[in-house]
Amino acid sequence: MSSTSSRGSPCTGCVSFMDACTRPDMTTPHSFPHSAYCAQISEGYAHLAPGEESGAIVAVAGRVMLLRTQGKLAFATLRDSSGEIQLFALASATEQFEDFARLHLGDWLGVHGEVVRTKRGELSVKVSSWVRLAEAQRNFGDKWAGITDYDLRYRHREADLWANEDTRRSLARRSALTRAVRERCWAAGFTEVETPILNAVPTGAAAKPFVTHHEALGADFYLRIAPELWLKRLVVGGFERVFELGRVFRNEGISPRHNPEFTSLELYAAYWNYQDMMAFTEELVAGAVADVLGTTRLSYQGRELDLAAPWPRVSMAELTSQKVGEAVSVATPRARLVELLDERGVPAHAHWGPGRCLAELFEASAEADLWEPTFVTRYPVEISPLARRDPSEPELTERFEAFVAGRELANGFSELTDPVDQRERFAEQARLGAAGDEEAMRVDEDFIKALEWGLPPTAGLGVGIDRLAMLVADAANIREVIAFPTLKPLAEE
RNA sequence: GCGCCGGUAGCUCAAUUGGCAGAGCAUUUGACUCUUAAUCAACAGGUUCCGGGUUCAAGUCCCGGCCGGCGCACCA
């Protein structure tokens, strides 16, 4: 990167000094030495009595949120990343008072002044000198109602953040959450890694990929739908505990719970099985939420929820049987499962075997009622091509999904380590693909080769970070916890 | 992709049965030495999302399109 781009480099070339300094980007300071945040002032001088002056001079900076002028006095509300403080300007004490009184809402300001409490009791910085750091040429919405238009809020989050407290809170909580998740993974001995986003073969999950193109290689690539196989290859390579917190991309519909790019935590631990991973998962999720909110108890969309461990474990067949009122399992005749699906308005596809039918029946009958955190276990092998078989029932796998507030939050299993079985599973996926399943997995020869070098017993986990962020932010729409959600581009003018 | 709902001044919202397109805030101008969504006065601000149609007359009714919200489908 060039640090001497033409923009911001004063007085160069054939332009005279005076000309340069009247160009628009020369008229504001290039820095502002800043000594205090609003919140520090509020806390540090809370003891001042009305009318009292502290004698302390501070330099604060931020954005003008409100402005009240009264003849030879002016009051402004200044906000920075920590909070707000009132600015108190007087014609007799403030430089350029007339200009100060004509500031626009939204202007960025740097202020020097004394910390005082006004006669009416508001802690303030009594402005002696000030400088406008940036002009707001657009306003930030109604100063009472803010911005409510969803299109404007999502397309111009920078304005939404200034206008709406809820937006600031939601995105701050998301940031605190990802920090807590990272720190807990590090503390548990996991190494953070980064694996390719551009993939020649999209794999590791059942989803339609985005396609892109590399010019020099003359080859199409797919944006990753999951980092799963790369991470297991790192375990083969000797990284016994790895995790990646990153973006994955799935070419699917957008809804209040789905963004085409979303953030997942994927984590693998050698020598663990799925039971170990469930224990880790509930502690990780409950712990990270407590790190953000101070408690595992939260209110989501008006309903109480407690994420404290341990979470109940119940098998998919058991739970589904309860809900449909008769015993069902992967051994139930497919025709009966299809009937039960029909009764719930779910038409079975021709390529669905009994395992897929059972899983669909679970989703149609039980999933939405799983409000308190619950591990659903023992998924059919048919829908789990990367998971290890359950020794007691080879048509099932040592897999679990965690459900909270009626939604899937996490997915994990004992990893399939047998290259021969893995090749057969991929082959079965290929058959499903040929039969019309657009989301069937593809054969990944490099991954099979990796398994031939030897993957120790390993358990893996994937957590939908956006979904978890929705819980801690009490957000009904995933877009509320994504700074810049995917939107349909507006037509070019 | 389908269905329902919405889009009016920079922002938040009104506009009766189809009958002159309005208010608050912001902006501009003026008054005001303790305000805090300050207040008061004045000026200005419009392709009613876009394109057709019906009608003497359309923000309003009809058709098509664009963008969004919710639901369904898909999915985590």
Side-chain angles (χ1 to χ4, degrees), chain A residues 157-477:
Chain A
R157 191 69 96 179
E158 63 279 13
D160 181 32
L161 280 163
W162 284 105
N164 295 317
E165 170 80 38
D166 285 350
T167 303
R168 294 195 294 279
R169 191 206 55 178
S170 292
L171 294 180
R173 283 188 182 179
R174 182 198 175 103
S175 180
L177 177 71
T178 54
R179 174 181 177 156
V181 165
R182 271 205 174 85
E183 286 179 342
R184 284 177 174 273
C185 289
W186 293 334
F190 287 85
T191 302
E192 183 166 11
V193 298
E194 294 171 280
T195 63
I197 288 174
L198 297 179
N199 284 210
V201 177
T203 188
K208 281 179 279 187
F210 286 92
V211 187
T212 187
H213 186 75
H214 189 280
E215 297 290 346
L217 294 178
D220 281 346
F221 280 81
Y222 300 93
L223 302 187
R224 68 176 175 195
I225 57 176
E228 171 150 355
L229 303 194
W230 296 108
L231 292 171
K232 279 188 268 194
R233 288 167 68 174
L234 290 174
V235 178
V236 169
F239 281 97
E240 293 175 352
R241 293 186 185 185
V242 294
F243 78 97
E244 180 164 10
L245 187 57
R247 213 72 61 78
V248 295
F249 308 85
R250 299 190 184 175
N251 207 339
E252 288 151 1
I254 294 174
S255 85
R257 288 162 295 283
H258 301 84
N259 198 59
E261 54 176 306
F262 63 99
T263 300
S264 79
L265 169 71
E266 281 212 17
L267 174 148
Y268 293 83
Y271 321 127
W272 287 8
N273 67 13
Y274 80 128
Q275 296 285 352
D276 301 319
M277 190 56 88
M278 279 191 277
F280 181 80
T281 301
E282 61 196 0
E283 291 296 340
L284 174 69
V285 170
V289 168
D291 290 344
V292 177
L293 300 177
T295 169
T296 59
R297 301 175 62 84
L298 53 87
S299 169
Y300 184 68
Q301 301 296 295
R303 280 185 72 180
E304 299 304 309
L305 188 57
D306 191 349
L307 298 175
W311 302 348
R313 281 93 164 131
V314 56
S315 80
M316 175 183 282
E318 193 182 326
L319 190 57
T320 309
S321 298
Q322 281 172 21
K323 288 291 181 180
V324 301
E326 70 179 65
V328 290
S329 73
V330 280
T332 303
R334 183 180 181 281
R336 179 56 189 151
L337 294 173
V338 170
E339 280 175 15
L340 290 166
L341 281 169
D342 267 347
E343 288 170 15
R344 287 161 181 78
V346 181
H349 292 158
H351 63 260
W352 291 1
R356 177 71 182 266
C357 289
L358 177 67
E360 295 285 341
L361 190 56
F362 159 74
E363 285 180 24
S365 64
E367 177 174 345
D369 295 334
L370 294 173
W371 182 262
E372 294 288 339
T374 307
F375 286 118
V376 177
T377 64
R378 304 183 82 208
Y379 276 58
V381 69
E382 180 186 340
I383 57 162
S384 311
L386 302 170
R388 197 161 194 170
R389 292 179 195 271
D390 189 321
S392 66
E393 175 65 76
E395 283 308 301
L396 299 178
T397 59
E398 291 192 341
R399 176 180 174 188
F400 66 87
E401 288 192 354
F403 291 87
V404 179
R407 297 175 197 156
E408 183 187 341
L409 180 70
N411 174 28
F413 39 86
S414 303
E415 301 295 334
L416 177 58
T417 59
D418 176 356
V420 175
D421 195 359
Q422 184 66 76
R423 183 180 293 283
E424 286 170 7
R425 304 275 193 97
F426 278 147
E428 176 58 25
Q429 289 289 305
R431 279 193 288 278
L432 289 173
D437 186 346
E438 284 184 89
E439 294 172 349
M441 234 173 264
R442 303 196 199 170
V443 181
D444 186 332
E445 289 294 342
D446 283 335
F447 179 63
I448 291 170
K449 192 182 282 187
L451 291 184
E452 289 169 351
W453 265 301
L455 177 66
T458 297
L461 171 69
V463 180
I465 294 297
D466 309 81
R467 294 277 176 85
L468 189 53
M470 289 171 72
L471 294 178
V472 299
D474 191 18
N477 192 316

Side-chain angles (χ1 to χ4, degrees), chain A residues 38 40-49 52 54 84-87 115-118 120-125:
Chain A
C38 295
Q40 292 174 322
I41 297 169
S42 302
E43 289 161 21
Y45 297 89
H47 60 274
L48 285 185
E52 190 178 354
S54 70
E84 297 181 345
I85 193 82
Q86 177 169 274
L87 303 178
V115 181
V116 303
R117 192 178 290 283
T118 59
R120 292 292 177 89
E122 183 77 15
L123 192 67
S124 307
V125 174

